[in-house]
Amino acid sequence: MRRQTATGGSNPVGSSRALRLDPLSLPIRFDAHDVRADGGIRQIELHRERVILHRAVAGMRMAIKVRVSDFRGIACRGLDDGRMLMLVHRDPSLSVPLCISDDNDEIERARALWSEIFALPQLPDDTPREPAQRRRRHSVISRRRPRFLMRRRTGALLEAPRNYAGEREIIARN
């Protein structure tokens, strides 16, 4: 007897080594890797207008609903043995993998199809970025007061210290 799954097939969606989701069969529910979640797995539900992420962190179960329009677009990420198609969000923990393959033609076809279905732009491929240029130590900013002290008023002495050198001291005695 075969084991039934939520998708109705004998294997869950994306159960093979390479993740391949069919954009024409939405809604889709599948498991994905999540470093922060308990057990390292989160469940993702993809619909045409929203994405729901189910995961548990430190024993607390949560479901995060994100509109598809809140995502930045569809992008490719390079892997060691292939490429991964991602639904990219500003928060990297909310990004969703869509397809993993080593065939560039398949990735490009899937990228165009997902972009059309979700009405999101195709983002350029990730290229390694150069780190920002290091600031000079003697710049104008380095001489400024620290940011948390900028909100406070600068201290001033109430009166200048008085110097009584060369004067005769008068002491009152009873």
Side-chain angles (χ1 to χ4, degrees):
M1 180 175 193
R2 283 193 316 194
R3 201 169 120 194
Q4 293 183 353
T5 59
T7 58
S10 60
N11 292 324
V13 175
S15 67
S16 65
R17 187 178 147 269
L19 174 70
R20 287 183 184 90
L21 302 176
D22 184 15
L24 301 175
S25 64
L26 292 176
I28 301 172
R29 185 177 184 141
F30 65 99
D31 293 339
H33 179 68
D34 188 356
V35 178
R36 295 183 192 168
D38 294 347
I41 295 177
R42 65 178 171 179
Q43 288 184 339
I44 300 171
E45 290 180 38
L46 278 176
H47 300 269
R48 287 189 186 273
E49 63 278 346
R50 71 182 175 280
V51 176
I52 305 172
L53 305 165
H54 298 274
R55 69 180 187 175
V57 177
M60 182 180 293
R61 296 176 58 196
M62 63 182 80
I64 303 167
K65 294 181 183 180
V66 184
R67 292 182 311 207
V68 170
S69 60
D70 292 340
F71 286 88
R72 290 178 48 212
I74 310 293
C76 287
R77 304 277 191 248
L79 297 176
D80 295 336
D81 57 346
R83 294 173 68 196
M84 178 169 50
L85 196 62
M86 298 278 298
L87 182 59
V88 180
H89 194 271
R90 277 187 295 270
D91 182 0
S93 65
L94 296 179
S95 294
V96 176
L98 300 173
C99 179
I100 298 174
S101 177
D102 54 356
D103 184 13
N104 287 336
D105 293 335
E106 179 184 1
I107 289 285
E108 290 306 319
R109 283 193 305 270
R111 185 180 192 177
L113 193 55
W114 282 107
S115 177
E116 182 181 335
I117 286 181
F118 285 144
L120 291 172
Q122 295 181 21
L123 300 175
D125 290 348
D126 274 353
T127 55
R129 295 181 182 175
E130 297 283 328
Q133 193 175 24
R134 202 169 158 194
R135 282 204 236 180
R136 294 175 45 194
R137 280 186 152 172
H138 302 292
S139 68
V140 175
I141 295 174
S142 68
R143 282 176 276 201
R144 210 189 269 172
R145 293 179 70 202
R147 184 172 43 183
F148 75 96
L149 291 176
M150 292 295 281
R151 291 176 284 192
R152 299 179 181 174
R153 287 184 293 156
T154 56
L157 295 175
L158 299 176
E159 276 186 36
R162 296 185 182 171
N163 189 356
Y164 297 103
E167 294 184 14
R168 202 175 112 217
E169 186 174 345
I170 300 174
I171 300 174
R173 298 199 190 238
N174 289 342

